[in-house]
Amino acid sequence: MTTATTEQRRRTPAGTAALRGLIERLAESLRRSVTLTDASGRRICSSRHYDDADPARLYSLLQGRVSNEVARHVRDQGVLRWSKPGFLPGREDLGLLPRYCVPLRERGHLLGLLTVIAPDTSLTPEETGTVARATPAVVGQLYADQVAADARRASEQRLLLSLLDPDPTARADSRTRILDDALLPDAPHAVVSIVQVARSRVSPGQVATALHGVLEGFRRTRSAHGAFAVASHRAVLLQAADRPLPPEALREQSARIREALGARLGASAAPVIGVGGHQSGLAHAWTSHEQALVAVRAARRMPGLDGIGCWEDLGEFAVLLQLPDHALNESLLPKPLRALLESSGGHRLEATLRCFLNHAGSVPRTAEALRIHRTSLYYRLRQIQDVTGLDLDNGADRITLHLGLRIRELLVSLGASGDDRPREHAAGAAARGQAEAA
């Protein structure tokens, strides 16, 4: 089993004994395998096998959730919108036999799915009657269990958000309680990731359920202990570790989160993730949170990042992206650079200047990168100096032009992404962040 698979494995406890008993008795009555999942596809409990286990069931038993492909299949069949039981078609390529699916609802709210493996896509009237008689007790117990879990979750969420609050007193109090309750260890390294889902036709409740279901798998990995909080279309994940989490591991983790959310919510969810920098322990996790806010803004606004922004990779964009939205416009471009862009051959001169500055003013390396003779490069550099009125041998003038080019890159990215510059707002001091428009 790969490291990625192991880290993704769900560490959550199985359903309560009362719930497991109800599922086991139903399976025994039917002599069929029965599984109970929440609305996000996370396994709550399963009965023992009755010689009908398929690869999809075995995967969910090992991983604690259905695979992304099965979750997408369930979503595409509209199962999460069903108001009454029905048959979910099988998929041989997914190792999925047909299932009799019962949506479990309380006052219209989907609590989960009860599934019975039915290879022939049929159950006898006696079997469907047995399922129907068992359903109210399962719904009642599932609802009671979720109420209790929600209370614990709300308490943990308040502590986590307080730990990330800019107020040092709130952070200190929260850290003490987190350690006393053993919610997280006082590990020497902490990193925060922010997951943001675009506002779409998907209901906020469905988004929150998907975020909870996906992030539950990162409470405990081989490398770190985690805790998370979900609010509206955003979630915050804090991970504490004995050693720094490698950048490639954090990117891989972010990619898996995005893939899982896309499978459960569809392409319109367009999830993006911002990863803050490593900080020294829980006491300084709030700094990583502040950095993750900037990184998720970059992930949303800069298509070249492919939906994952990492603070450590942003460079000067980390500063520029902290400017107010109304300031992110072409007025930020230095006047000399605007003159260059508007000049004859401005596009060629801009590319030359960018390459020259990116190569630290080295004429040989710039000429090689542009595949032109040094004489031609010197000619272009003189043109740039004539148009801008700046001296490329002067460090301050170079900084002016280089920063201007970075601002231009950012503005071009904003235009390419079709971003409508959503305003940043505070949802309480502890849960600050951006609310991106659909």
Side-chain angles (χ1 to χ4, degrees):
M1 185 176 296
T2 64
T3 299
T5 301
T6 303
E7 290 185 357
Q8 183 72 357
R9 178 176 294 175
R10 303 300 183 187
R11 303 288 184 173
T12 53
T16 60
L19 200 52
R20 294 197 303 272
L22 291 171
I23 296 302
E24 199 62 68
R25 286 193 290 275
L26 174 60
E28 188 174 352
S29 298
L30 297 172
R31 307 302 295 175
R32 295 175 182 268
S33 297
V34 178
T35 300
L36 179 62
T37 64
D38 67 14
S40 74
R42 185 169 58 92
R43 185 179 66 86
I44 298 174
C45 58
S46 298
S47 71
R48 64 179 183 271
H49 294 323
Y50 285 89
D51 298 325
D52 54 4
D54 55 15
R57 175 178 169 85
L58 297 177
Y59 180 96
S60 71
L61 290 173
L62 288 172
Q63 303 298 323
R65 61 176 178 85
V66 301
S67 68
N68 291 335
E69 294 76 13
V70 170
R72 190 175 292 111
H73 177 59
V74 171
R75 189 196 74 232
D76 291 346
Q77 300 304 312
V79 174
L80 301 182
R81 297 189 298 273
W82 287 3
S83 59
K84 59 183 181 180
F87 285 95
L88 172 70
R91 281 275 300 274
E92 185 175 353
D93 59 320
L94 300 181
L96 180 74
L97 290 172
R99 280 155 168 75
Y100 183 68
C101 293
V102 183
L104 305 176
R105 297 183 181 275
E106 172 65 24
R107 300 175 185 176
H109 176 67
L110 182 65
L111 301 178
L113 292 174
L114 185 151
T115 59
V116 180
I117 293 183
D120 297 329
T121 319
S122 65
L123 293 181
T124 67
E126 291 77 14
E127 289 175 321
T128 56
T130 297
V131 174
R133 287 189 295 273
T135 297
V138 174
V139 170
Q141 188 62 53
L142 181 58
Y143 179 71
D145 291 352
Q146 289 195 3
V147 168
D150 287 345
R152 292 192 299 272
R153 185 183 295 160
S155 176
E156 292 180 2
Q157 178 158 308
R158 285 192 296 270
L159 287 175
L160 176 58
L161 293 179
S162 293
L163 181 69
L164 304 177
D165 196 295
D167 177 22
T169 301
R171 294 201 305 267
D173 291 344
S174 178
R175 178 176 174 275
T176 299
R177 288 192 56 191
I178 285 174
L179 295 177
D180 288 345
D181 295 347
L183 177 59
L184 286 171
D186 194 18
H189 300 280
V191 62
V192 172
S193 299
I194 293 178
V195 185
Q196 188 169 289
V197 175
R199 297 182 184 276
S200 63
R201 290 176 294 179
V202 180
S203 71
Q206 188 176 345
V207 170
T209 297
L211 286 169
H212 276 291
V214 171
L215 294 180
E216 194 69 51
F218 297 92
R219 281 190 181 275
R220 180 76 178 271
T221 70
R222 290 185 61 184
S223 306
H225 291 74
F228 66 90
V230 175
S232 185
H233 287 68
R234 176 187 287 118
V236 177
L237 171 66
L238 167 62
Q239 292 173 290
D242 292 330
R243 291 176 293 180
L245 300 176
E248 58 274 15
L250 288 170
R251 290 191 189 91
E252 181 186 353
Q253 170 181 286
S254 298
R256 295 201 306 271
I257 291 173
R258 291 188 72 231
E259 181 184 1
L261 287 172
R264 285 153 178 76
L265 298 174
S268 65
V272 294
I273 297 175
V275 182
H278 281 84
Q279 300 300 324
S280 54
L282 299 183
H284 299 282
W286 71 279
T287 302
S288 184
H289 176 250
E290 296 296 307
Q291 294 168 345
L293 285 171
V294 178
V296 79
R297 193 180 190 197
R300 175 65 73 194
R301 295 179 171 213
M302 300 174 67
L305 297 181
D306 294 327
I308 300 172
C310 297
W311 169 266
E312 305 289 1
D313 298 335
L314 292 181
E316 55 268 42
F317 289 122
V319 176
L320 296 175
L321 284 164
Q322 295 183 64
L323 293 171
D325 290 323
H326 69 269
L328 281 174
N329 57 58
E330 291 192 359
S331 69
L332 287 179
L333 294 177
K335 187 176 179 179
L337 181 60
R338 290 204 300 270
L340 183 70
L341 296 173
E342 295 167 1
S343 68
S344 175
H347 178 73
R348 183 191 64 181
L349 294 179
E350 177 196 5
T352 299
L353 175 62
R354 188 186 306 279
C355 187
F356 178 72
L357 294 174
N358 285 343
H359 286 88
S362 169
V363 169
R365 288 192 293 150
T366 303
E368 182 180 358
L370 293 174
R371 297 182 179 179
I372 61 175
H373 195 274
R374 293 186 191 182
T375 302
S376 298
L377 176 58
Y378 280 122
Y379 175 71
R380 292 188 192 180
L381 295 177
R382 284 196 299 271
Q383 283 185 295
I384 292 170
Q385 293 186 130
D386 290 342
V387 172
T388 63
L390 299 180
D391 182 359
L392 292 179
D393 289 329
N394 182 284
D397 288 353
R398 284 194 190 184
I399 290 176
T400 297
L401 290 172
H402 211 166
L403 184 59
L405 288 172
R406 288 296 192 237
I407 293 171
R408 176 164 166 76
E409 283 183 46
L410 180 58
L411 295 178
V412 169
S413 293
L414 295 180
S417 66
D419 192 279
D420 57 1
R421 308 252 178 105
R423 69 181 183 280
E424 208 169 309
H425 76 290
R432 288 181 308 137
Q434 306 147 279
E436 301 290 346

